[in-house]
Amino acid sequence: MLKNYLLNQRNNKLLPIRRFTLLCFLLMAFSAFSQKSPKVSTEVDTTSIKIGEQVRFTLTVEADTTAQVIFPEGQTFSPLETVEAFATDTTRQNDRMTLQKIYALTQFDSGSYKIPAQRIDINGNGFLTDSTTIINVANVAVDTLAQKMYDIKPLMEVEKSKAKLWLWILGILLGLLLIGAPVYWFFFRKKPLTEEEKVALLPPYDRALLELKKLENSRYIIQDEYKQYYSELTDIVRSYLEEDVHVSALESTTDELINKLELLKDAGELQIEEDTLLQFKRILQTADLVKFAKSKPESSVAEQDRKAIEEIVIKTHEALPEPTEEELMEQEEFKEELERKKQKKKIVYASLALFGLLVIGASTATAYYGFTYVKDTLLGHPTKELLEGEWVASSYGYPPINLETPHVLKRQETKLSPEMKANIKDLQMFSYSNTEALFTVGTSSTTLTQEVEPEFNKSIESFIENLEKQGAKNIITKQEEFTTLTGVKGIKVFGSGKFPVPQSKELVDGKYAILLFGGKGFQQQVILNWLDGDTYAQKIVDRILGSVEVKTEL
């Protein structure tokens, strides 16, 4: 018992110490928790404004200095409209920081509007603000006696801006320049003549004398190349005779050529002496011996033969009768015909080159993009133009539906029947339709008279019945859950069928999709209809569906 008494006394002495230690531990834990737990608060500068005035909504976040805080961006305050989001103001104290972001909000319709809860991302965790603040928007008093009231003006069709037209013109001109410059440079430009071309354009007589002079200055004799020397010598004189005397000399043997010249002499068409013909025959025979029998004459003999050939050319030219006027005319017409043939040849070559460039360009584009894409780019395709055009991101109706479309959606006039007015307070519809592309996109926002959940099944049945009334057949329907990028869940009804073509009795294979969202007192729909097998239309639909955002409360 004494032992127990001593133990109890000891425990009683240690009890205050244990309680103090436990209290310190709890205080430290609470302090550590308070340092790590962020705080989010909101504030508005006023709850009553007039139409068009602004409310300053302040979001304040207290967190550790190491925290990563992401504030909401865009039109997240609907039905209020975000006019401006000011820069974040940051203050630091020890290991804590206070972030403050101010939003300027407004509304252009009178009524009471609840500021929806805003999501702030802190270190990957979402924190929601309260949604109890209500903003009252009052009408602005207008003196209708002093100022007349006017009807709302209808929508105006605005012509597409031609600001980029000059860019297209510049691009076309650059393309023509890139193609035309090489064609002109290689085919139509007057190139400087080479030495060989200048010689070829000389008359046969002048060209023969010039070539004989070049042969005189050659090194054939010095290098004992007599075969090449006599080959060029006889080719020069034979070419001259063929062109100027009009006798087939290049393919004739020595005896045949001499016989042809003698016949011309006897007929009086070539007034040449007999000695000249004999001398010419001797030189041709010497050349035959050198070329075929490997004979090697003296260098002085070779030089004398060249001079003799030069004399023969001169005498032959002098022996030719003067050309008549008809012959001169024929020669002129012949030259013109040659020039026309050269011009035609240039045009053909240029056309072939241009065609080749087009084929190469088309083949390269086809290999890279595919035949269908190249064909649709050159010939045009309605949905391709929609896909690659300038898209519009906007908000439609109330409750708002935000989405991105190839063209702005136009408001559709709707009249509610007495039966519909019993359940529907307001119906706002917007749509865009391209009959050439057989593509349609539309939205509808419905406000109910009572705060009840919308009946999606009835809406789907009504949509299918409306398709059948328009002439659609073989409609296949599928259904699945749809979730927007911000996590709003809805229903997606989609399928295929045969749909009528406007102003025609023809039915084509098409597809459709309808998104349904809603909550107590309202319903929202996005409707799409496009041609089956149209890859461009499918990309348009995917892009629109990926951009849809809706509000889940009024």
Side-chain angles (χ1 to χ4, degrees):
M1 293 180 66
L2 179 61
K3 182 178 180 181
N4 291 334
Y5 174 77
L6 292 174
L7 288 172
N8 290 332
Q9 290 293 325
R10 181 185 177 190
N11 290 335
N12 291 335
K13 290 180 181 180
L14 292 175
L15 184 59
I17 298 174
R18 291 175 178 173
R19 288 177 178 175
F20 178 76
T21 304
L22 180 60
L23 180 61
C24 290
F25 176 77
L26 290 174
L27 288 174
M28 291 174 63
F30 178 76
S31 175
F33 177 79
S34 64
Q35 289 179 357
K36 294 182 180 179
S37 178
K39 294 181 179 179
V40 178
S41 60
T42 62
E43 182 184 357
V44 292
D45 62 343
T46 182
T47 58
S48 298
I49 61 172
K50 293 180 180 179
I51 290 176
E53 289 184 343
Q54 295 182 5
V55 176
R56 285 183 174 262
F57 180 83
T58 305
L59 267 175
T60 305
V61 176
E62 295 181 11
D64 294 339
T65 55
T66 58
Q68 292 183 348
V69 180
I70 301 175
F71 287 96
E73 296 181 358
Q75 298 294 337
T76 60
F77 292 90
S78 182
L80 293 172
E81 183 178 340
T82 304
V83 178
E84 185 177 2
F86 296 93
T88 305
D89 185 22
T90 306
T91 58
R92 289 181 172 81
Q93 186 176 5
N94 297 329
D95 61 343
R96 300 286 288 176
M97 67 176 177
T98 301
L99 303 175
Q100 195 173 71
K101 193 171 184 68
I102 300 175
Y103 297 86
L105 311 176
T106 190
Q107 177 55 255
F108 295 96
D109 289 329
S110 61
S112 297
Y113 300 93
K114 183 191 294 184
I115 297 180
Q118 300 297 306
R119 187 179 188 275
I120 299 96
D121 196 322
I122 305 175
N123 291 330
N125 298 320
F127 292 81
L128 294 176
T129 65
D130 58 62
S131 59
T132 58
T133 304
I134 296 177
I135 306 298
N136 296 309
V137 182
N139 276 322
V140 178
V142 179
D143 187 354
T144 57
L145 297 177
Q147 180 178 348
K148 291 183 178 181
M149 298 297 291
Y150 299 95
D151 291 334
I152 298 175
K153 292 186 177 182
L155 291 174
M156 294 179 61
E157 292 288 342
V158 180
E159 292 185 2
K160 191 173 182 180
S161 174
K162 297 181 180 179
K164 295 184 178 180
L165 180 60
W166 67 272
L167 291 176
W168 283 99
I169 296 174
L170 181 60
I172 293 172
L173 291 177
L174 287 176
L176 292 175
L177 180 63
L178 290 175
I179 295 175
V183 171
Y184 168 77
W185 181 263
F186 291 107
F187 297 105
F188 294 101
R189 178 178 63 96
K190 290 186 177 180
K191 306 172 187 177
L193 297 176
T194 61
E195 194 65 30
E196 292 77 8
E197 290 174 335
K198 290 179 180 179
V199 172
L201 291 176
L202 292 174
Y205 172 71
D206 296 331
R207 186 168 66 251
L209 294 180
L210 181 62
E211 290 177 349
L212 288 171
K213 183 62 65 175
K214 287 183 179 178
L215 184 61
E216 180 184 5
N217 298 326
S218 67
R219 300 180 62 84
Y220 289 137
I221 297 176
I222 299 174
Q223 296 173 352
D224 288 342
E225 296 177 353
Y226 288 96
K227 182 176 181 180
Q228 288 82 351
Y229 179 84
Y230 274 96
S231 294
E232 287 196 18
L233 181 63
T234 53
D235 287 343
I236 291 171
V237 70
R238 284 174 179 270
S239 297
Y240 165 72
L241 293 174
E242 184 140 341
E243 291 183 64
D244 219 1
V245 184
H246 305 294
V247 60
S248 56
L250 290 173
E251 297 179 358
S252 300
T253 62
T254 299
D255 292 337
E256 289 173 348
L257 178 57
I258 296 299
N259 289 334
K260 292 176 182 178
L261 293 176
E262 287 178 347
L263 290 174
L264 290 174
K265 176 179 176 295
D266 295 339
E269 297 180 9
L270 181 65
Q271 300 174 3
I272 190 171
E273 297 178 355
E274 187 68 27
D275 293 341
T276 303
L277 287 176
L278 292 174
Q279 187 180 21
F280 183 39
K281 183 177 181 180
R282 181 189 61 78
I283 296 173
L284 291 177
Q285 290 173 344
T286 303
D288 291 339
L289 290 174
V290 171
K291 289 188 291 184
F292 303 111
K294 295 183 180 180
S295 174
K296 185 178 179 182
E298 296 291 334
S299 58
S300 57
V301 174
E303 179 61 29
Q304 288 298 325
D305 288 344
R306 189 202 64 78
K307 291 180 180 180
I309 288 295
E310 187 173 344
E311 290 293 329
I312 291 170
V313 170
I314 294 172
K315 290 180 180 180
T316 304
H317 180 68
E318 294 174 350
L320 291 172
E322 291 293 330
T324 63
E325 186 175 351
E326 293 180 358
E327 290 176 341
L328 291 174
M329 289 293 294
E330 289 177 358
Q331 290 178 4
E332 190 66 27
E333 291 177 359
F334 179 71
K335 289 179 181 179
E336 290 177 358
E337 183 64 25
L338 287 179
E339 190 63 29
R340 282 195 294 269
K341 288 183 178 180
K342 288 181 180 179
Q343 194 67 20
K344 287 182 180 179
K345 189 178 292 185
K346 287 181 179 180
I347 294 173
V348 170
Y349 287 156
S351 302
L352 290 174
L354 181 59
F355 179 75
L357 287 174
L358 292 175
V359 169
I360 292 172
S363 301
T364 305
T366 302
Y368 187 79
Y369 295 104
F371 174 76
T372 303
Y373 183 86
V374 174
K375 175 179 69 67
D376 293 339
T377 301
L378 295 175
L379 303 180
H381 195 283
T383 49
K384 181 177 182 295
E385 294 173 1
L386 289 177
L387 177 63
E388 298 177 352
E390 186 175 352
W391 282 52
V392 178
S394 187
S395 178
Y396 300 95
Y398 178 78
I401 302 174
N402 299 314
L403 73 164
E404 192 179 14
T405 55
H407 280 269
V408 66
L409 307 186
K410 292 184 179 181
R411 182 185 293 271
Q412 304 298 311
E413 295 294 334
T414 56
K415 291 184 179 181
L416 299 177
S417 63
E419 295 80 6
M420 296 173 66
K421 287 181 179 179
N423 299 318
I424 298 175
K425 181 180 179 181
D426 187 26
L427 174 61
Q428 299 178 25
M429 300 179 65
F430 300 82
S431 70
Y432 166 77
S433 180
N434 189 316
T435 55
E436 185 182 4
L438 297 178
F439 174 81
T440 302
V441 54
T443 67
S444 66
S445 299
T446 307
T447 306
L448 305 177
T449 55
Q450 299 179 1
E451 290 192 1
V452 294
E453 293 292 338
E455 298 182 357
F456 291 144
N457 289 332
K458 288 187 177 180
S459 297
I460 296 170
E461 291 175 2
S462 176
F463 174 75
I464 299 299
E465 289 177 1
N466 188 37
L467 289 179
E468 291 176 344
K469 287 180 181 178
Q470 293 176 1
K473 296 181 180 180
N474 303 332
I475 300 174
I476 299 174
T477 301
K478 300 178 183 179
Q479 184 173 320
E480 65 182 17
E481 187 180 76
F482 182 86
T483 306
T484 66
L485 291 176
T486 57
V488 179
K489 295 185 181 297
I491 297 174
K492 178 182 178 182
V493 179
F494 61 100
S496 60
K498 288 188 173 294
F499 299 95
V501 177
Q503 299 179 353
S504 173
K505 296 182 179 180
E506 182 185 1
L507 294 177
V508 295
D509 294 330
K511 290 186 176 182
Y512 71 91
I514 174 172
L515 303 181
L516 299 103
F517 303 92
K520 287 187 177 181
F522 71 96
Q523 178 175 311
Q524 300 149 298
Q525 294 182 0
V526 178
I527 301 172
L528 293 154
N529 188 220
W530 68 100
L531 195 64
D532 191 9
D534 190 341
T535 56
Y536 306 112
Q538 187 62 55
K539 291 179 181 179
I540 293 173
V541 171
D542 294 341
R543 183 172 173 179
I544 292 175
L545 294 179
S547 68
V548 173
E549 290 295 344
V550 296
K551 287 297 179 183
T552 57
E553 59 183 15
L554 289 173

